[in-house]
């Protein structure tokens, strides 16, 4: 027996018995070998089993086939376990890889965003108006902050990129006299696949009487010479849409209401429809002179349905014969607390709801003293129409300098909601918008600022003030009369820095404001030019060749010119500018899309020399196209007769036949595409197809005669024209293509009645193309889209004539 240790368990290590120091042959000094516990005692069953071990083996062993099956099962189990382990390991690996890649991609630069290139160096030039910056070979710069310099020339592979960030928190303003991009130079603000999210502002400064201009470009410009790249891509916005509900003056369906009266004695009452804000009843009860009038007032109020808005105001005095039961009726029906104590010549005004409690009542009173109430008793309450438009009803009463005054007003408050055809989630509070005129005068176009509108849906916006004019928002008798609504704000802005008034040789005899703005000019053999979602304001000059956007003698700018990515301007907002909108000069294959031209001087979308072809104008909006000075066709009556420096001798131009043709779309060659455009207000014409006998301007003599009257017409479809003073659409006349002389003293490029085009169908297979257009335009046949011509070609309304 083993002696138990102090815990009552057998000892693990034993001393040699009888003091013997004999050790086993495998003994290693210092090593303690644990002693196995003794085997259990043999029982009878155990002995029996051991004595017949062979029998036991036969009973519990496997045969050969069984052993193979057993081995296969084990192998299958091992294979299955291996697959499970592999699957779990693979899944874990890919999860970890996805997490790592996700984290990496979050912080890795986007190769589509030019400002995230590893090769750019941060650039902060500071503010030095005398610093002439040249960005040349090896200069790859990222502008991070505001800067003012004299000028910037980007050349020989140099690059300037505006920094951006994902949150759009950057706000960078660059002031410079000009930016010239040439010979491999590039200017990038955003990219086609990476719209710029922050705010970028390029201000082109300088006066027309300062310094010498750069040859070909002049002053205050962004210029792209051969080899230059200009890529400007702002955040995407819906450019323009249509009203779907008419917009009334004041913003209320029935318009605003105002009444101011003197010495209208008694209680003056207005009953207002709570659902529309319209005044339903106007009554006066002389409760000062007659208690019969008091009873009439009592019966009048009792007959009103619950919920009607009632406004009351004392004129002069009302208390003398205002019966107690009438006072109680006003108190019970309208919730007044002050009418019961109304005194002599006391000013009192109330606005309430029939059947409402004291909480629905707004009232005010002022005591009369020395022919004055020392202030106005004024009651105001806000309501909401069924359409969600908030409006205020106001009543007032007072004595002032011995005169008894009272009145009422109903006006929209907290902005006016516009209902629009397209989703406008991209329009933001603070954006400027313009609503086109739907009257005969283009000057009824109005500008507004957008307000926050959490209650608006995706087809609504709220403007900051009631309109002054009515703007149609319906399709009437099949004719689409809906006003265009365009957003003017973009997050990339190119603008001219202007003087407060006109100065120097800037046609100040015709304009009292500075007309020397900035301009963008692109020359032939540029590398790449794409402009999208950019705002251009205070651009253009009353100088030949200086326009907000000008493609100058560029030739083919699409695939035919070797450009894999066609050249375009898209989503531009050109407004409050001083010479045209987009000028296409001896340039073919340009796309002009979703661009707004608003409040500009001279022809807006302008194809210049008569040789421009294959250009597409798609879904552009032009409105408030005013007269300019550059060409005779730009001029109005006054300017036409005053500018005589280019006529021969003492000839006095005839405005009706020489000038007065300013147009929103001036198309000098039929082989161009006009699709879904809107000409929504011009001094003279909306769209004018003019037929040049030969190329004009700088193209004269460089190209063969185009014979535009024999040229097949491009696509002309779904265009809208309205609110033009002289004509909706002109397909007529030409321009004079010879210089002034004794034989013909008129100015070069004036209207030429001798070139009046009269299409007719004959054996020439091309002439019917133009003749068919004329025929479609004079048919005035309604179609499903509400156009006045067959085939959905054009909508012409509120214009002089076709």
């Amino acid at each position: 027996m083993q002696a138990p240790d102090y815990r009552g368990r057998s000892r693990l290590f034993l001393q040699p018995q009888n003091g013997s120091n004999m050790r086993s042959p495998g003994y290693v000094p210092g090593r303690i070998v644990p002693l196995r516990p003794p085997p259990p005692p043999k029982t009878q069953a155990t002995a029996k089993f051991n004595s017949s071990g062979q029998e036991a083996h036969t009973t519990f062993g496997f045969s050969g086939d069984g052993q193979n099956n057993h081995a296969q099962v084990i192998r299958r189990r091992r294979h299955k376990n291996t697959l499970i382990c592999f699957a779990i390991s693979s899944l874990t690996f890919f999860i970890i890889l996805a997490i790592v890649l996700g984290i990496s991609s979050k912080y890795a630069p986007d190769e589509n965003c030019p400002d995230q290139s590893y090769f750019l160096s941060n650039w902060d030039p500071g503010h030095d108006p005398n610093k002439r910056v040249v960005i040349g070979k090896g200069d790859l710069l990222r502008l991070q902050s505001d800067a003012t310099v004299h000028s910037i020339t980007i050349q020989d592979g140099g690059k300037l990129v505006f920094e951006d960030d994902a949150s759009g928190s950057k706000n960078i303003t660059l002031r410079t006299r000009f930016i010239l991009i040439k010979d491999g130079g590039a200017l990038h603000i955003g990219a086609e696949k990476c719209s710029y999210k922050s705010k970028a502002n390029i201000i082109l400064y300088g006066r027309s009487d300062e310094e010498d201009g750069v040859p070909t470009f002049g002053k205050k410009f962004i210029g792209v010479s051969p080899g230059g790249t200009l890529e400007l891509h702002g955040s995407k916005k819906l450019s323009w849409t249509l009203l779907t509900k008419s917009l009334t003056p004041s913003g209320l369906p029935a318009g605003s209401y105002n009444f101011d009266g003197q010495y209208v004695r008694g209680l003056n009452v207005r009953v207002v429809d709570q659902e529309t804000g319209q005044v339903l009843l106007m009554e006066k009860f002389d409760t000062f002179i007659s208690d019969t009038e008091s009873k009439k007032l009592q019966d009048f109020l009792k007959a009103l349905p619950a919920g009607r808005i009632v406004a009351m105001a004392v004129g002069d005095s009302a208390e003398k014969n205002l019966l107690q039961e009438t006072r109680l009726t006003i108190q019970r029906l309208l919730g007044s607390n002050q009418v019961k104590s109304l005194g002599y010549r006391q000013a009192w005004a109330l606005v309430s709801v029939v059947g409402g409690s004291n909480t629905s009542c707004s009232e005010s009173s002022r005591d009369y003293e020395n022919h004055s109430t020392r202030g106005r008793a004024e009651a105001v309450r806000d309501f909401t129409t069924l359409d969600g438009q908030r409006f205020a009803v106001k009543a007032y009463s007072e004595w002032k300098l011995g005169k008894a005054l009272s009145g009422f007003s109903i006006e929209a408050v907290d902005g006016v909601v516009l209902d629009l055809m397209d989703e406008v989630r991209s329009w933001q509070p603070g954006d400027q918008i313009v609503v086109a005129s739907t009257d005969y005068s283009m000057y009824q176009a109005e500008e507004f600022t957008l307000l926050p509108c959490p209650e608006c849906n995706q087809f609504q916006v709220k403007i900051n003030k009631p309109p002054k004019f009515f703007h149609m928002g319906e399709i009437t008798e099949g004719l689409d009369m809906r006003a265009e609504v365009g957003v003017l704000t973009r997050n990339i802005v190119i603008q001219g820095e202007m003087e407060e008034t006109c100065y120097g040789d800037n046609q100040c005899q015709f304009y009292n404001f500075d007309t020397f703005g900035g301009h963008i000019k692109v020359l032939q053999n540029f590398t790449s030019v794409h402009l999208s979602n950019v705002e251009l304001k205070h651009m253009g000059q009353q100088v030949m060749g200086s326009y907000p956007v000008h493609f100058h003698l560029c030739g083919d700018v699409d695939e035919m010119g070797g450009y894999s990515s066609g050249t375009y301007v898209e989503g531009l907002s050109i407004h409050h500018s001083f010479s045209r909108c987009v000028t296409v000069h001896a340039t073919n294959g340009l796309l002009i899309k979703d661009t707004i031209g608003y409040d500009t001087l001279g022809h807006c979308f302008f194809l210049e020399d008569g040789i421009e072809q294959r250009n597409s104008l798609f879904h552009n909006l032009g409105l408030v196209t005013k007269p300019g000075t550059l060409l005779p066709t730009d001029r109005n009556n006054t300017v036409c007769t005053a500018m005589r420096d280019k006529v021969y001798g003492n000839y006095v131009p005839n405005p009706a036949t020489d000038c007065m043709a300013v147009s929103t779309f001036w198309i000098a060659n039929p082989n161009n595409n006009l699709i879904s455009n809107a000409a929504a207000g011009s001094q003279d014409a909306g769209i004018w197809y003019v037929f040049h006998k030969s190329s004009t301007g700088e193209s004269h003599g460089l190209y063969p005669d185009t014979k535009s009257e024999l040229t097949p017409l491009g696509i002309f479809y779904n265009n809208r024209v309205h609110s033009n003073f002289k004509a909706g659409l002109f397909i007529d006349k030409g321009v004079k293509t010879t210089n002034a002389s004794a034989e013909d003293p008129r100015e070069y490029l004036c209207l030429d009645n001798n070139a009046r085009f009269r299409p007719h169908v004959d054996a020439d297979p091309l002439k019917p193309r133009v003749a068919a257009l004329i025929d479609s335009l004079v048919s005035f046949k309604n179609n499903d889209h509400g156009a006045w011509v067959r085939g959905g070609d054009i909508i012409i309304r509120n214009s002089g004539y076709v």
Side-chain angles (χ1 to χ4, degrees):
M1 292 286 298
Q2 299 175 5
D5 64 4
Y6 68 96
R7 286 185 288 263
R9 293 181 298 187
S10 299
R11 294 180 178 177
L12 295 178
F13 306 103
L14 300 177
Q15 295 292 333
Q17 295 181 1
N18 301 325
S20 174
N21 290 325
M22 295 183 65
R23 297 175 174 87
S24 65
Y27 170 75
V28 178
R31 179 178 179 185
I32 302 174
V33 180
L35 184 66
R36 294 183 180 180
K42 294 182 179 181
T43 62
Q44 184 178 0
T46 303
K48 182 178 180 180
F49 177 80
N50 288 340
S51 63
S52 57
Q54 184 63 34
E55 181 182 354
H57 176 75
T58 302
T59 303
F60 297 102
F62 295 99
S63 65
D65 292 340
Q67 291 178 353
N68 291 336
N69 292 337
H70 181 66
Q72 289 178 2
V73 170
I74 293 174
R75 283 195 297 270
R76 282 197 296 269
R77 288 177 180 175
R78 289 176 178 175
H79 181 65
K80 181 179 179 180
N81 292 338
T82 302
L83 291 177
I84 293 173
C85 292
F86 176 76
I88 294 174
S89 301
S90 299
L91 179 62
T92 304
F93 170 78
F94 284 113
I95 291 174
I96 295 173
L97 180 61
I99 294 173
V100 171
L101 291 177
I103 296 173
S104 300
S105 63
K106 180 178 179 180
Y107 297 100
D110 186 343
E111 61 182 9
N112 294 316
C113 299
D115 68 305
Q116 297 186 26
S117 171
Y118 287 114
F119 302 103
L120 296 176
S121 300
N122 295 334
W123 185 51
D124 182 10
H127 297 274
D128 184 356
N130 298 315
K131 187 174 184 178
R132 299 173 186 264
V133 177
V134 177
I135 301 175
K137 185 176 182 180
D139 297 327
L140 308 176
L141 305 180
R142 181 193 294 112
L143 182 63
Q144 295 183 301
S145 58
D146 295 349
T148 300
V149 296
H150 176 278
S151 58
I152 299 176
T153 300
I154 311 173
Q155 61 187 20
D156 299 330
K159 180 184 291 186
L160 176 60
V161 180
F162 275 55
E163 186 178 49
D164 196 7
D165 61 28
S167 64
S169 62
K170 302 293 292 186
N171 191 344
I172 300 174
T173 297
L174 172 63
R175 292 181 68 250
T176 180
R177 291 183 180 272
F178 67 82
I179 300 175
L180 178 59
I181 310 165
K182 62 180 183 178
D183 301 331
L187 172 61
H188 292 265
I189 306 179
E192 285 185 339
K193 296 182 179 180
C194 181
S195 299
Y196 194 74
K197 303 175 186 64
S198 301
K199 292 183 179 180
N201 189 7
I202 296 178
I203 299 176
L204 301 169
Y205 71 90
R207 292 167 54 102
S208 61
D209 53 8
E210 293 178 343
E211 302 187 0
D212 294 328
V214 177
T216 306
F217 293 100
K219 304 175 182 179
K220 293 175 72 169
F221 66 86
I222 297 176
V224 184
S225 285
T229 294
L230 179 62
E231 296 286 340
L232 307 179
H233 300 273
S235 297
K236 294 182 179 180
K237 279 181 179 284
L238 176 74
S239 182
W240 63 277
T241 183
L242 302 174
L243 283 179
T244 57
K245 180 181 176 184
S246 291
L247 184 59
T248 59
S250 84
L252 294 172
S256 60
Y257 175 82
N258 285 280
F259 172 82
D260 297 290
Q262 294 185 26
Y263 299 111
V264 186
R265 190 175 58 194
L267 277 173
N268 301 288
V269 182
R270 300 293 183 270
V271 178
V272 182
D273 185 355
Q274 68 273 23
E275 296 180 352
T276 64
Q278 181 178 5
V279 175
L280 301 176
L281 297 171
M282 297 179 288
E283 298 290 344
K284 178 180 73 69
F285 302 91
D286 192 351
T287 57
F288 181 84
I289 197 69
S290 169
D291 59 0
T292 302
E293 291 288 297
S294 181
K295 293 178 181 177
K296 288 182 179 179
L297 173 59
Q298 184 177 346
D299 294 339
F300 176 83
L301 293 176
K302 288 180 179 179
L304 294 177
R308 281 283 187 258
I309 301 169
V310 176
M312 306 179 72
V314 169
D316 191 337
S317 186
E319 54 77 37
K320 186 176 180 180
N321 283 289
L322 184 61
L323 301 176
Q324 185 65 25
E325 54 265 34
T326 304
R327 295 176 188 245
L328 290 175
T329 298
I330 295 174
Q331 183 177 3
R332 179 175 55 83
L333 290 179
L334 302 178
S336 172
N337 289 322
Q338 299 179 8
V339 68
K340 59 185 177 183
S341 59
L342 185 63
Y344 175 69
R345 287 189 169 178
Q346 187 177 27
W348 176 68
L350 170 144
V351 176
S352 188
V353 176
V354 175
S357 63
N358 293 344
T359 57
S360 68
C361 176
S362 171
E363 61 181 333
S364 175
S365 62
R366 290 274 185 170
D367 293 333
Y368 174 80
E369 182 180 353
N370 296 328
H371 307 289
S372 174
T373 52
R374 299 182 182 276
R376 172 180 288 187
E378 185 174 277
V380 183
R381 266 210 63 191
D382 289 351
F383 302 91
T384 303
T385 68
L386 282 179
D387 296 328
Q389 178 61 55
R390 290 176 58 81
F391 65 97
V393 178
K394 180 171 69 175
Y396 74 89
S397 172
E398 70 174 323
W399 278 87
K400 186 176 182 180
L401 300 176
K403 296 180 180 180
L405 307 175
S406 61
F408 304 91
S409 68
I410 301 174
E411 296 178 342
V413 295
D414 298 332
V416 176
V417 174
L418 307 187
D419 293 275
L420 304 172
M421 183 177 72
D422 297 296
E423 183 178 305
V424 287
R425 293 185 186 275
S426 59
W427 297 10
Q428 299 297 319
D431 284 355
Q432 298 292 120
I433 68 168
V434 59
V435 181
S437 168
T438 51
D439 201 271
Y440 288 95
S441 171
M442 68 177 181
Y443 293 104
Q444 290 190 14
E446 300 186 72
E447 296 177 49
F448 303 98
T449 301
L450 296 187
L451 298 176
C453 186
E455 69 272 21
C456 290
N457 61 39
Q458 66 266 36
F459 300 100
Q460 294 178 319
V461 292
K462 181 183 286 187
I463 57 178
N464 63 321
K465 59 185 178 182
K468 296 179 181 178
F469 306 105
F470 177 82
H471 300 271
M472 180 71 80
E474 276 81 32
I475 297 174
T476 304
E477 296 181 356
L479 180 62
D480 191 347
M481 299 285 287
R482 295 175 292 180
E484 297 83 4
V485 183
V487 62
L488 303 176
T489 304
R490 305 289 188 274
N491 66 318
I492 297 178
V493 181
I494 314 295
Q495 63 178 320
E497 186 174 272
M498 311 307 295
E499 301 293 322
E500 293 183 358
T501 59
C502 190
Y503 65 91
D505 188 19
N506 290 319
Q507 308 294 354
C508 297
Q509 69 272 36
F510 306 121
Y511 306 109
N512 60 6
F513 51 87
D514 184 7
T515 61
F516 195 75
H519 65 106
I520 298 175
K521 192 170 189 177
V522 182
L523 303 185
Q524 190 174 21
N525 296 323
F526 59 85
T527 297
S528 176
V529 173
H530 300 99
L531 310 179
S532 65
N533 300 292
V534 178
E535 180 180 352
L536 304 174
K537 66 179 179 180
H538 301 157
M539 299 288 280
Q541 304 165 2
Q542 285 299 299
V543 176
M544 197 69 73
S546 298
Y547 315 121
V549 179
H550 182 194
F551 285 85
H552 180 69
L553 305 176
C554 292
D556 296 324
V557 297
D558 55 2
E559 291 80 2
M560 292 185 66
Y563 292 92
S564 58
S565 178
T567 306
Y568 62 80
V569 294
E570 179 181 354
L572 304 190
S573 164
I574 304 170
H575 62 95
H576 299 95
S577 291
F578 312 115
S579 185
R580 316 210 185 291
C581 303
V582 179
T583 295
V584 184
H585 186 190
T587 297
N588 309 310
L590 178 67
L591 173 63
I592 305 170
K593 179 181 177 183
D594 289 330
T595 291
I596 298 174
Y598 165 61
D599 194 1
T600 59
L601 304 181
H603 304 302
C604 183
F605 296 95
F606 181 56
L607 277 60
E608 188 165 347
D609 282 352
I611 63 168
E612 298 81 13
Q613 301 189 56
R614 295 184 295 99
N615 301 290
S616 294
L617 290 85
F618 178 79
H619 200 255
N620 302 292
L621 168 63
L623 63 166
V624 191
T625 305
K626 300 177 180 178
T629 65
L630 296 183
L631 295 177
T633 52
D634 287 318
R635 301 169 190 162
N636 63 10
N637 189 358
T638 301
V639 179
C640 183
T641 56
M643 298 189 69
R644 299 168 54 189
D645 54 319
K646 294 182 181 179
V647 302
Y648 183 85
N650 296 322
Y651 174 75
V652 178
N654 184 335
T657 58
D658 295 355
C659 306
M660 296 178 63
V662 63
S663 306
T664 301
F665 293 87
W666 179 268
I667 311 300
N669 190 295
N671 187 23
N672 292 283
N673 304 317
L674 271 71
I675 305 169
S676 299
N677 299 288
S682 172
Q683 180 66 32
D684 290 309
I687 302 174
W688 196 316
Y689 276 89
V690 62
F691 298 93
H692 289 201
K693 291 181 179 179
S694 62
S695 57
T696 61
E698 295 186 46
S699 302
H700 184 64
L702 300 179
Y703 299 89
D705 291 347
T706 59
K707 297 188 182 298
S708 57
E709 72 274 16
L710 303 179
T711 300
L713 179 72
I715 299 172
F716 187 91
Y717 179 77
N718 199 36
N719 297 291
R720 304 162 55 89
V721 183
H722 64 88
S723 305
N724 300 284
F725 176 75
K726 188 174 183 178
L729 173 69
F730 249 140
I731 305 178
D732 203 358
K733 301 185 180 181
V735 292
K736 184 174 178 283
T737 57
T738 59
N739 291 321
S741 64
E743 183 179 10
D744 187 347
R746 297 174 302 156
E747 184 176 346
Y748 179 57
L749 295 181
C750 72
L751 281 179
D752 188 6
N753 287 317
N754 296 325
R756 184 181 291 266
F757 174 53
R758 296 299 187 192
H760 62 280
V761 179
D762 57 15
D764 192 321
L766 300 180
K767 287 185 179 180
R769 295 289 300 278
V770 178
L773 172 63
I774 302 276
D775 177 61
S776 71
L777 292 173
V778 298
S779 296
F780 296 105
K781 181 179 179 182
N782 286 320
N783 62 26
D784 293 339
H785 299 287
W788 282 19
V789 298
R790 64 174 177 244
D793 285 322
I794 187 167
I795 298 171
I796 303 174
R797 53 186 168 81
N798 293 355
S799 298
Y801 58 89
V802 178

